[in-house]
């Protein structure tokens, strides 16, 4: 019979990796053990040494728990649960002049959001019980409805001044309709900008055909334009998003090098979702999670190579996860929360005034399924929308403690499920773990990150990302 004062393992999950056995606790403490250390630890017989001290510091020794630190870590990582949604996505138009092979925004044709609807959306966003919020203008191509974008931005600044709330404005655009006048307005009104960049010109233009010519050249032109005015924009200047298609596989290093060449702060390597046109085109542009993980490893290794030469590029997936792994902080990324950010961290407003749990839920509605619709800005209050059935269903379905495949996973403290992805890929809010492609891809990403953290030199490069903070974000 074991004595009650002997050092016993706390409640843990574990996973075998190439460089040892990873053990994690409920709130995020972790340690990487050698197989023999893990054998002793799991039997309550590891009583001293470096491994014991690492487990003790991580809160993984039951008889040595620091409840104040554990409580503080959990509180910091889940602070968003005490607030309402801080991200509000306004889809200003369905129109777009690109014909992207993976389009998830709609047909590229259709209606614009009216100025009156945009004002209602802004009003509803300011009803959320948050001290600060972000309004993000999307489409289609949002610049195709410039007058409403302009009016909505100015009205939101007015509301912020009147309420005392902090406001961040953001624009996601392909930049093809950008001009000097619009760029000047964006800079003057402190609107951050993000564009799409799928890699070198040949890959980008193949993925993103543009009726007006060279999509890559337009994007690069305006990236450089805003970079020259970096001091007048929100910290870090412009950023870019990558969509990984089958054509991207085998070109991870080239893609990373293109982001480094353009001095962008991040390259975001994440798998393609089976939504919108991407679902219909999956046979020609999709791939399996194993193929993505191979691509991801190549890309992240290249980022670290460049870091070693002084290039300050981060990989966004790893950066977000490291905030939780190394700092027990909420990374503010709604897709990696438990429960997820659907309704709790974000709301999406379609051009017609429809309100959705998230942009992915809106995408599904564009394909004819309104399961994630919460209401209408013209007739429903914030309270009615936030208390609606889809918000509750998504919160329940994205609680990892209720997911059989997630509750015992070693990566539970750092991960999150997406009900909209599950619904699209597996016809259920709950999905099916671990057969779920997103789940398998995230496992591979986390395997890669923890493998790198076991390497002192590479771990130092990753830790420096957090030391640098969001200077270039």
């Amino acid at each position: 019979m074991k004595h009650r004062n002997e050092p016993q393992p706390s409640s843990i999950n574990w996973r075998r990796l190439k460089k040892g056995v990873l053990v994690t606790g409920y709130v995020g403490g972790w340690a990487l053990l050698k197989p023999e250390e893990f054998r002793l630890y799991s039997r309550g017989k590891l009583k001293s040494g470096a491994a014991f001290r690492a487990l003790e510091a991580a809160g993984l020794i039951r008889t040595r728990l620091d409840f104040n630190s554990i409580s503080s870590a959990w509180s910091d990582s889940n602070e968003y649960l005490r607030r309402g949604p801080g991200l509000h996505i306004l889809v200003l138009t369905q129109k777009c002049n690109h014909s992207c092979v993976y389009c998830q925004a709609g047909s590229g044709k259709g209606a614009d959001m009216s100025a009156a609807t945009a004002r209602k959306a802004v009003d509803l966003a300011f009803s959320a019980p948050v001290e600060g919020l972000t309004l993000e203008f999307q489409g289609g191509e949002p610049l195709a409805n410039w007058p409403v974008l302009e009016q909505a931005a100015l009205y939101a600044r007015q509301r912020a001044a009147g309420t005392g709330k902090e406001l961040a404005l953001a624009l996601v655009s392909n930049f093809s309709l950008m001009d000097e006048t619009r760029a000047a307005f964006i800079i003057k009104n402190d609107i951050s900008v993000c564009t799409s960049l799928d890699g070198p010109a040949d890959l980008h233009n193949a993925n993103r055909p543009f009726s007006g010519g060279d999509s890559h050249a337009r994007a690069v032109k305006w990236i450089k334009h805003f970079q020259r005015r970096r001091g007048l924009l929100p910290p870090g200047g412009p950023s870019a998003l990558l969509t990984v298609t089958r054509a991207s596989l085998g070109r991870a290093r080239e893609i990373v090098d293109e982001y480094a060449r353009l001095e962008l702060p991040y390259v975001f390597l994440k798998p393609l979702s089976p939504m919108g046109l991407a679902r219909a085109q999956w046979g020609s542009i999709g791939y399996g999670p194993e193929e993505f993980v191979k691509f991801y490893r190549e890309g992240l290794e290249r980022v670290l190579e460049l870091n070693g030469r002084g290039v300050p590029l981060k990989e966004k997936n790893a950066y977000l996860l490291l905030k939780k792994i190394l700092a027990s902080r909420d990374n503010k990324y709604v897709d990696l929360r438990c429960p997820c950010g659907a309704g709790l961290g974000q709301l999406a407003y379609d051009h017609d005034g429809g309100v959705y749990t998230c942009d992915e839920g809106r995408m599904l509605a564009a394909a004819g399924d309104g399961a994630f619709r919460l209401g209408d800005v013209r007739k429903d209050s914030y309270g009615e929308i936030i208390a609606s059935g889809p918000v509750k269903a998504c919160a329940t379905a994205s609680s990892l403690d209720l997911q059989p495949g997630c509750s015992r996973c070693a990566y539970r403290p750092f991960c999150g499920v997406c009900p909209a992805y599950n619904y699209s890929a597996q016809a259920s809010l709950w999905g099916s773990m671990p057969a779920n492609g997103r789940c398998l891809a995230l496992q591979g990403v986390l395997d890669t990150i923890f493998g790198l953290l076991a390497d002192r030199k590479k771990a130092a490069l990753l830790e420096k990302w957090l030391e640098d903070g969001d200077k270039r974000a």
Side-chain angles (χ1 to χ4, degrees):
M1 182 175 179
K2 296 175 181 176
H3 192 276
R4 65 166 54 185
N5 291 323
E6 288 183 351
Q8 297 298 313
S10 64
S11 176
I12 63 162
N13 293 341
W14 57 277
R15 182 176 176 88
R16 294 192 185 279
L17 302 177
K18 289 182 179 179
K19 297 193 176 182
V21 181
L22 176 70
V23 293
T24 66
Y26 185 82
V27 296
W30 62 275
L32 188 60
L33 305 178
K34 296 175 182 177
E36 177 60 18
E37 292 170 338
F38 176 70
R39 187 181 68 80
L40 292 172
Y41 169 61
S42 63
R43 295 179 181 181
K45 295 183 178 181
L46 185 67
K47 300 180 181 180
S48 62
F52 180 87
R53 291 191 294 273
L55 289 161
E56 187 177 31
L60 298 174
I61 299 292
R62 186 186 306 162
T63 51
R64 307 290 184 91
L65 294 180
D66 180 345
F67 289 102
N68 288 334
S69 294
I70 291 170
S71 175
S72 177
W74 187 94
S75 180
D76 289 347
S77 185
N78 293 277
E79 188 268 338
Y80 72 96
L81 290 173
R82 296 193 290 268
R83 298 181 273 111
L87 173 61
H88 299 263
I89 298 169
L90 276 65
V91 178
L92 298 181
T93 182
Q94 292 180 315
K95 297 172 184 173
C96 186
N97 55 9
H98 279 56
S99 302
C100 303
V101 297
Y102 47 71
C103 180
Q104 297 175 346
S107 64
K109 302 176 182 178
D112 293 333
M113 179 180 281
S114 69
T117 299
R119 287 174 70 92
K120 288 284 189 181
V122 171
D123 286 339
L124 196 145
F126 273 88
S127 298
V130 290
E131 293 180 1
L133 65 155
T134 298
L135 293 185
E136 184 175 287
F137 302 118
Q138 288 195 22
E141 170 47 48
L143 296 182
N145 192 10
W146 175 257
V148 172
L149 190 159
E150 194 173 30
Q151 292 175 53
L154 294 174
Y155 180 61
R157 289 291 181 207
Q158 264 185 343
R159 289 300 315 271
T163 60
K165 291 188 176 186
E166 293 182 13
L167 172 66
L169 296 176
L171 169 67
V172 179
S173 166
N174 60 38
F175 286 167
S176 61
L177 298 176
M178 188 65 70
D179 59 30
E180 293 282 352
T181 301
R182 292 171 176 178
F185 176 88
I186 287 165
I187 292 169
K188 180 180 178 181
N189 289 278
D190 201 25
I191 302 173
S192 65
V193 291
C194 179
T195 193
S196 292
L197 186 74
D198 284 359
D202 66 307
L203 176 58
H204 178 96
N205 289 333
N207 278 349
R208 301 179 59 80
F210 170 39
S211 60
D214 189 328
S215 174
H216 181 270
R218 293 283 184 97
V220 169
K221 172 187 174 180
W222 290 104
I223 287 172
K224 291 181 176 180
H225 177 92
F226 287 115
Q227 283 175 331
R228 289 193 294 270
R229 292 150 180 81
R230 181 173 285 153
L232 301 176
L233 282 166
S239 59
L241 289 174
L242 162 71
T243 300
V244 178
T245 65
R246 185 181 297 177
S248 310
L249 303 182
R251 302 189 65 177
R253 292 173 66 88
E254 292 176 67
I255 291 167
V256 168
D257 286 352
E258 180 72 350
Y259 273 69
R261 180 182 75 83
L262 294 172
E263 298 183 308
L264 289 161
Y266 298 103
V267 57
F268 199 168
L269 307 177
K270 64 176 184 176
L272 182 66
S273 293
M275 295 183 183
L277 188 58
R279 182 172 184 173
Q281 300 261 74
W282 196 261
S284 59
I285 67 171
Y287 42 82
E290 299 84 1
E291 293 172 288
F292 172 77
V293 172
K294 181 176 184 293
F295 168 90
Y296 181 82
R297 286 175 180 152
E298 292 169 356
L300 183 54
E301 288 279 6
R302 179 56 175 168
V303 169
L304 293 180
E305 280 181 33
L306 294 173
N307 288 171
R309 300 176 193 173
V311 178
L313 179 69
K314 299 182 180 78
E315 194 285 308
K316 191 67 174 278
N317 235 332
Y319 178 64
L320 293 170
L321 289 164
L322 286 167
K323 283 187 176 184
K324 287 192 171 186
I325 293 168
L326 297 179
S328 295
R329 298 205 318 259
D330 174 22
N331 56 35
K332 296 182 171 61
Y333 188 58
V334 293
D335 289 0
L336 291 174
R337 284 173 167 172
C338 169
C340 78
L344 302 179
Q346 67 173 311
L347 292 173
Y349 307 83
D350 209 351
H351 72 283
D352 62 358
V355 186
Y356 295 86
T357 54
C358 52
D359 202 36
E360 290 78 6
R362 179 196 63 82
M363 293 173 192
L364 290 168
D369 192 326
F372 294 84
R373 185 181 174 99
L374 309 180
D376 191 303
V377 295
R378 293 163 296 193
K379 61 182 181 180
D380 296 310
S381 69
Y382 171 81
E384 291 169 327
I385 284 169
I386 211 67
S388 62
V391 173
K392 296 174 182 177
C394 286
T396 302
S398 62
S399 174
L400 301 184
D401 294 327
L402 302 178
Q403 290 272 8
C406 301
S407 62
R408 295 299 297 163
C409 177
Y411 295 140
R412 182 214 164 280
F414 320 115
C415 197
V417 301
C418 175
Y421 174 95
N422 294 345
Y423 189 83
S424 179
Q426 298 183 303
S428 166
L429 293 180
W430 295 84
S432 175
M433 314 298 179
N436 183 286
R438 182 178 181 275
C439 170
L440 291 170
L442 273 169
Q443 285 182 21
V445 166
L446 284 157
D447 286 348
T448 301
I449 292 169
F450 277 102
L452 293 170
L453 288 173
D455 182 308
R456 285 189 178 181
K457 289 184 179 180
K458 291 175 181 177
L461 292 171
L462 293 172
E463 288 164 3
K464 190 173 186 302
W465 290 5
L466 298 188
E467 292 170 8
D468 291 343
D470 291 321
K471 294 174 187 175
R472 305 184 76 235

